[in-house]
């Protein structure tokens, strides 16, 4: 028997979430080096109560036991579904079965997803509109539509009396440990990584959502992953920068090399850029953590992609990196492509095809047969200087 840890955030507001210490992958794609948490919250009003979000499948019993530490789960009046993804909505069937009188609250799109994904009967769903409120008695919940952060149905819930914003995935971080932001020294590094992996493709929608909550008096932000922000100005400030696409005097270099030729080229340009006072984040794609790469793309002004030719096309890891850049849509402005081939090129053309419509200025490309010659190296140094100048002019 585990003694469940329920945390009181404010009067009659409790964290009843779960910590998934050993989870190492999200969406079978995103590495989670420090696990993650699925934060769920209980708000108890004078007349009614509400559970805000639930937990990942497999943690239903834990959630039930935590709720039980505060109220009998059967007495839940409302289950607020800010987001339909299973890591937050996966325990909805369990809770709705326990709490037979509970209504599920969701946006219009969320209501459809609740029926499709979780078989919630239509007559048990209450659809709420943007800015609609629900009084639990001394606790008023305001629902704020925030679509495409990062699914179409997403919304935030704001608890007016306590000034707590529950934004589900927005403002989150994949960290299993810690409860509050000020307990984590490098929280913004993890939050940046999370932004890069999940929110960066939706920068325009993030800007809209940030504008929408600008007028709210927010004392605490309680997201659905990672620590709760009791100093919300830090994460709000970071999100404003990232959503605006603010970059640093920085280049991300991502490369793969089979026989060190491409590596020699990328290391040369790294030397040149560093000498020109450009911050470098270098990722060997054969060993790097893609979450770290996503994090560095968030605030880089340029990308150098080292992509050797293998079997007439770009190395698969370089293709993956180019595809990732296109999918995550970072605010990078400049690209340099470096490549080496044994007996026939093709990688440069291939990665450009993969990048497709992604709008960047290709500052230059160097395609070398075998290891780089002195002349190749001179060209790379020149290209590095041109790139550094562009990066610094933009800064
Ligand atoms: Fe944490 Fe989009 O789910």
């Amino acid at each position: 028997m585990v003694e469940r840890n329920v945390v009181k955030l404010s009067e009659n507001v409790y964290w009843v979430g779960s910590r998934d210490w050993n989870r190492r992958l999200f969406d079978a794609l995103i590495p989670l080096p420090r696990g993650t948490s699925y934060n769920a919250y209980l708000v108890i009003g004078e007349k009614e109560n509400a559970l805000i979000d639930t937990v990942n499948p497999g943690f239903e019993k834990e959630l039930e036991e935590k709720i039980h530490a505060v109220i009998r789960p059967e007495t839940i009046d409302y289950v607020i579904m800010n987001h339909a993804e299973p890591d937050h909505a996966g325990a909805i069937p369990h809770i709705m079965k326990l709490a037979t009188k509970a209504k599920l609250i969701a946006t219009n799109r969320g209501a459809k997803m609740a029926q499709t994904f979780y078989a919630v009967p239509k007559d048990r769903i209450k659809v709420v509109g943007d800015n609609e409120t629900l009084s639990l008695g001394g606790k008023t919940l305001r629902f704020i539509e925030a679509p495409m952060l990062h699914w179409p149905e997403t919304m935030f819930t704001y608890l007016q009396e306590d000034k707590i914003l529950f934004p589900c995935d927005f403002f989150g971080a994949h960290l299993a440990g810690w409860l509050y932001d000020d307990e984590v020294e490098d929280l913004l590094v993890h939050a940046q990584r999370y932004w890069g992996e999940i929110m960066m493709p939706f920068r325009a929608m993030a800007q809209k959502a940030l504008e929408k909550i600008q007028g709210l008096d927010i004392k605490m932000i309680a997201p659905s992953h990672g620590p709760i922000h009791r100093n919300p100005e830090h994460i709000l400030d970071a999100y404003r920068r990232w959503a605006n696409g603010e970059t640093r005097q920085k280049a991300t270099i991502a490369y793969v090399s089979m026989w060190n030729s491409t590596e020699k080229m990328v290391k040369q340009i790294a030397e040149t850029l560093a000498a020109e006072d450009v911050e470098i984040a270098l990722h060997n794609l054969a060993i790097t953590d893609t979450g770290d790469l996503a994090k560095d793309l968030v605030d880089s002004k340029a990308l150098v992609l080292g992509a050797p030719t293998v079997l007439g096309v770009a190395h698969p890891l370089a293709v993956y990196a180019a595809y990732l850049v296109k999918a995550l849509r970072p605010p990078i402005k400049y690209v340099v492509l470096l490549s080496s081939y044994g007996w026939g090129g093709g990688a440069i053309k291939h990665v450009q095809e993969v990048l497709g419509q992604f709008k960047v200025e290709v500052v230059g490309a160097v395609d070398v047969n075998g290891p780089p010659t002195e002349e190749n190296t001179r060209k790379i140094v020149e290209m590095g200087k041109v790139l550094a100048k562009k990066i610094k002019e933009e800064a």
Side-chain angles (χ1 to χ4, degrees), residues 173 185-195 242 291-292 295:
E185 206 177 318
D186 55 350
L187 176 62
L188 281 186
V189 174
H190 294 279
Q192 181 171 335
R193 177 185 169 111
Y194 178 96
W195 167 274
W242 297 335
D292 270 345
K295 181 204 75 186

Side-chain angles (χ1 to χ4, degrees), residues 26 83 85 87-88 150-151 169 194 224-225:
F26 201 89
H83 178 24
E85 198 165 8
D87 50 329
H88 312 295
H150 58 131
W151 278 22
D169 278 341
Y194 178 96
S224 57
H225 295 290

Side-chain angles (χ1 to χ4, degrees), residues 43-64:
V43 180
I44 315 291
E46 286 153 8
K47 294 189 188 126
E48 293 181 300
N49 59 62
L51 174 67
I52 301 179
D53 295 314
T54 70
V55 291
N56 200 77
F59 290 83
E60 294 91 343
K61 203 69 194 160
E62 183 176 326
L63 175 64
E64 181 188 333

Side-chain angles (χ1 to χ4, degrees), residues 26-27 36-38 83-89 149-151 153-154 168-170 174 194 198-199 224-225:
F26 201 89
D27 290 341
T36 193
S37 60
Y38 316 112
H83 178 24
E85 198 165 8
D87 50 329
H88 312 295
L149 295 176
H150 58 131
W151 278 22
E153 83 299 356
T154 40
C168 203
D169 278 341
F170 212 53
H174 284 308
Y194 178 96
I198 297 164
M199 297 297 167
S224 57
H225 295 290

Side-chain angles (χ1 to χ4, degrees), residues 45-235:
E46 286 153 8
K47 294 189 188 126
E48 293 181 300
N49 59 62
L51 174 67
I52 301 179
D53 295 314
T54 70
V55 291
N56 200 77
F59 290 83
E60 294 91 343
K61 203 69 194 160
E62 183 176 326
L63 175 64
E64 181 188 333
E65 287 168 6
K66 285 188 173 167
I67 294 168
H68 208 274
V70 186
I71 56 166
R72 283 188 302 118
E74 310 85 68
T75 64
I76 291 172
D77 295 297
Y78 300 102
V79 177
I80 316 291
M81 190 185 78
N82 279 325
H83 178 24
E85 198 165 8
D87 50 329
H88 312 295
I92 281 177
H94 184 80
I95 297 297
M96 294 301 279
K97 200 170 161 194
L98 278 177
T100 50
K101 65 167 186 168
K103 290 261 187 205
L104 185 92
I105 291 188
T107 60
N108 197 28
R109 280 166 158 169
K112 291 188 186 83
M113 286 181 168
Q115 291 169 71
T116 308
F117 285 49
Y118 307 111
V120 180
K122 201 174 174 185
D123 62 0
R124 292 194 66 189
I125 302 175
K126 178 178 160 57
V127 173
V128 287
D130 193 22
N131 265 318
E132 198 172 323
T133 56
L134 171 73
S135 175
L136 305 174
K139 299 279 186 198
T140 312
L141 301 176
R142 177 177 295 277
F143 306 106
I144 301 161
E145 283 188 1
M148 294 315 300
L149 295 176
H150 58 131
W151 278 22
E153 83 299 356
T154 40
M155 70 171 184
F156 302 163
T157 298
Y158 177 64
L159 175 54
Q160 293 185 170
E161 290 79 2
D162 300 81
K163 303 178 172 44
I164 304 176
L165 182 71
F166 301 93
C168 203
D169 278 341
F170 212 53
F171 303 117
H174 284 308
L175 288 167
W178 300 284
L179 185 67
Y180 292 109
D181 55 343
D182 45 70
E183 298 163 351
V184 195
E185 206 177 318
D186 55 350
L187 176 62
L188 281 186
V189 174
H190 294 279
Q192 181 171 335
R193 177 185 169 111
Y194 178 96
W195 167 274
E197 292 160 336
I198 297 164
M199 297 297 167
M200 189 160 63
F202 307 104
R203 277 191 285 134
M205 301 310 285
Q207 274 179 325
K208 279 189 189 158
L210 289 168
E211 278 165 26
K212 243 175 147 173
I213 61 171
Q214 204 165 19
L216 290 182
D217 185 3
I218 299 172
K219 200 173 99 189
M220 189 179 273
I221 295 178
S224 57
H225 295 290
I228 294 157
H229 305 276
R230 57 184 170 191
N231 307 282
E233 63 281 5
H234 295 155
I235 193 72

